[in-house]
Amino acid sequence: MLRPVDLGEVERLRGDLGDFVAEVFASLARKDQRRQGDCYLRGLMLDGWRKSIQPMAERLPDGNMQALQQFVSQSPWDHTLVLRKIAGKMTSALAPEAWVIDDTSFPKAGDQSVATSRQYCGALGKRSLCQVGVSVHAATDQASSPLSWRLFVPPDWDDSNDVRRRRTGLPPEIRHIEKWRLAIDALEELISWGLTPQVVVADAGYGQSAAFRHALRSRGLDYIVAVRGDETAHRHDTEPEAPAYGGAGRRTLPRYRTDSVALHELATTGGRRAFRQVTWRQGSRGAMRSRFRVLQVRPAGKIPRALAAADAGGGASWDGALPAETLLVEWPPGASAPTEYWLTSLPPDTAVRRLARLAKIRWRIEHDYREMKHGLGLDHFEGRTWRGWHHHITLVTAAHAFLTLRRLDPKVEAPA
């Protein structure tokens, strides 16, 4: 667990932090910008309840509130170049097993901060005024690190004449895009940076979307994503059929002659005996184990049908077959029914232990969010402008990366 440090410890870290800043902020042309970046990271890592600019500046011997404010909110440095450096460095250090997609919310008291709207706020567990950031993380069971961020723009910010767009510096080309499309955009960016794609992991907020899974498949990206038990599918061995042609009129296209059923019905065929106990990792309180089952299914519905038909060229060229996906189901001991479902592009003969470990690896990202919010002030910045939000998020990501590297270094007694 990463933790904030006291002023003396921060001062002892300045040499190592200076080397880190010189590397990841190399794209910042001016020395004063890199100096303020170093100062801001020390402020984020330092003990203190609030990590907004004024209290951080007051805690640091060289803190200058005006200079820090200008650096974060107005200075025109490119946050993408900094994130690219961090992503490359952390990927090399972690050797990740998965790229995990998730999103986190930033509650707001008013609607003047960029992309703030009344929407579901996970931090509060209800609809409220908030910003939402979509992130992609490199993850292993031992550590993880954010690689890329996207700010979700709600539909009510799409009006080009909205004074809020001009006041917050929201670029004209930025419009509302579904969160899953933001995630795909972030994945494409990571690949364009030369990073090796990993298995994509996501919760049901993303996995439930057939279009999202199709977008991953069409890009050659493997995935394991959560879905609900009421998602419908056909058995893998069910085949579409077409009636014999009578010689008049248009031929009837092939289709499934049996109804699709809910995943929870397919999963429970055969009862508990079809599930077997699997240990997927060692936790702080011992072995993490549960009972799992793997089977193949063909997810059904209008969207999967439309996507499959489009892939085949549409019309009479489609044989009616829906793509097969592997279904992983968890039925914990003591539970009256299965509790968790995941669809994956990985083959059904993949080791169940590996499937379970990848499906469960999202816990690392919830851990990231807690550390960055509670210890590094991820949600303390007002984030009123487009530029300021991205700069602050990038600086918090850099602080988290620096502390993670120290925690993983066996030669260092890290502040962890």
Side-chain angles (χ1 to χ4, degrees):
M1 179 72 177
L2 306 182
R3 62 171 178 81
V5 296
D6 61 30
L7 185 58
E9 201 164 2
V10 164
E11 289 300 309
R12 288 192 294 274
L13 292 175
R14 288 194 68 168
D16 290 341
L17 181 61
D19 294 339
F20 177 83
V21 167
E23 180 178 356
V24 301
F25 289 93
S27 60
L28 277 63
R30 290 163 38 193
K31 289 184 179 179
D32 63 309
Q33 290 178 322
R34 295 193 292 273
R35 185 168 59 251
Q36 293 307 322
D38 183 291
C39 184
Y40 199 91
L41 262 59
R42 283 184 282 120
L44 293 173
M45 293 186 292
L46 191 61
D47 273 326
W49 182 64
R50 289 295 297 173
K51 300 297 176 72
S52 49
I53 290 175
Q54 180 175 349
M56 288 199 305
E58 291 173 349
R59 295 183 196 116
L60 292 166
D62 56 341
N64 182 309
M65 187 179 73
Q66 184 176 354
L68 288 176
Q69 182 70 52
Q70 197 278 335
F71 171 70
V72 177
S73 299
Q74 301 170 19
S75 183
W77 54 275
D78 189 343
H79 69 277
T80 304
L81 297 177
V82 178
L83 284 176
R84 181 173 183 172
K85 278 286 188 180
I86 295 171
K89 189 173 183 66
M90 297 309 292
T91 295
S92 177
L94 297 179
E97 300 173 82
W99 281 352
V100 184
I101 295 167
D102 212 334
D103 52 68
T104 190
S105 54
F106 305 84
K108 296 294 177 181
D111 65 353
Q112 300 308 300
S113 294
V114 63
T116 295
S117 185
R118 186 167 295 278
Q119 55 193 318
Y120 180 75
C121 180
L124 302 177
K126 62 180 182 180
R127 286 181 61 84
S128 183
L129 284 174
C130 67
Q131 295 168 321
V132 176
V134 175
S135 55
V136 181
H137 304 240
T140 69
D141 284 330
Q142 290 71 43
S144 54
S145 175
L147 303 178
S148 184
W149 290 86
R150 296 291 186 277
L151 178 60
F152 174 70
V153 177
D156 61 318
W157 279 74
D158 267 2
D159 183 357
S160 298
N161 295 319
D162 192 333
V163 67
R164 295 178 303 173
R165 292 185 65 94
R166 296 191 297 274
R167 186 171 59 242
T168 60
L170 189 59
E173 68 276 11
I174 300 297
R175 290 287 187 269
H176 167 70
I177 298 176
E178 299 98 319
K179 292 173 188 173
W180 72 263
R181 293 186 189 275
L182 291 177
I184 292 294
D185 181 63
L187 293 173
E188 289 181 334
E189 180 179 65
L190 295 179
I191 294 170
S192 76
W193 291 348
L195 301 182
T196 302
Q198 304 299 319
V199 176
V200 176
V201 180
D203 66 15
Y206 297 86
Q208 196 69 21
S209 168
F212 173 66
R213 302 196 308 272
H214 177 268
L216 294 173
R217 286 196 304 273
S218 66
R219 289 162 174 78
L221 297 173
D222 279 322
Y223 59 85
I224 180 163
V225 294
V227 292
R228 298 194 307 264
D230 59 1
E231 176 90 348
T232 60
H234 297 281
R235 290 171 52 92
H236 172 258
D237 56 3
T238 305
E239 296 183 356
E241 299 176 359
Y245 182 53
R250 300 178 63 182
R251 290 181 180 273
T252 302
L253 296 177
R255 65 179 178 84
Y256 292 93
R257 302 294 161 175
T258 57
D259 292 335
S260 59
V261 298
L263 293 181
H264 66 79
E265 293 185 44
L266 292 172
T268 52
T269 302
R272 291 178 181 271
R273 291 176 298 177
F275 291 73
R276 67 184 183 88
Q277 183 168 283
V278 174
T279 298
W280 66 88
R281 71 177 178 89
Q282 293 293 319
S284 59
R285 299 183 180 180
M288 306 290 288
R289 59 171 62 99
S290 188
R291 300 184 67 83
F292 294 89
R293 182 184 186 183
V294 175
L295 60 160
Q296 274 197 305
V297 298
R298 298 183 183 274
K302 291 182 178 179
I303 294 177
R305 282 182 59 82
L307 293 170
D311 284 345
S317 60
W318 182 40
D319 64 3
L322 293 166
E325 295 182 74
T326 301
L327 174 66
L328 174 69
V329 188
E330 180 183 4
W331 191 340
S336 60
T339 57
E340 303 289 343
Y341 302 81
W342 297 268
L343 287 173
T344 176
S345 61
L346 297 173
D349 60 355
T350 303
V352 183
R353 181 177 182 273
R354 180 173 185 241
L355 292 177
R357 188 163 53 82
L358 287 171
K360 297 283 191 176
I361 208 168
R362 280 191 59 253
W363 76 273
R364 284 282 351 163
I365 280 52
E366 297 303 325
H367 193 264
D368 277 355
Y369 286 154
R370 286 196 301 272
E371 289 183 339
M372 288 189 290
K373 286 189 173 184
H374 299 165
L376 298 173
L378 182 70
D379 55 355
H380 293 185
F381 184 69
E382 287 186 353
R384 291 195 180 276
T385 66
W386 174 262
R387 177 177 291 168
W389 187 89
H390 284 89
H391 283 179
H392 174 72
I393 289 287
T394 299
L395 289 159
V396 173
T397 299
H400 182 269
F402 175 74
L403 292 175
T404 298
L405 290 172
R406 287 186 62 82
R407 178 170 64 84
L408 295 176
D409 189 345
K411 303 186 297 296
V412 174
E413 185 178 346

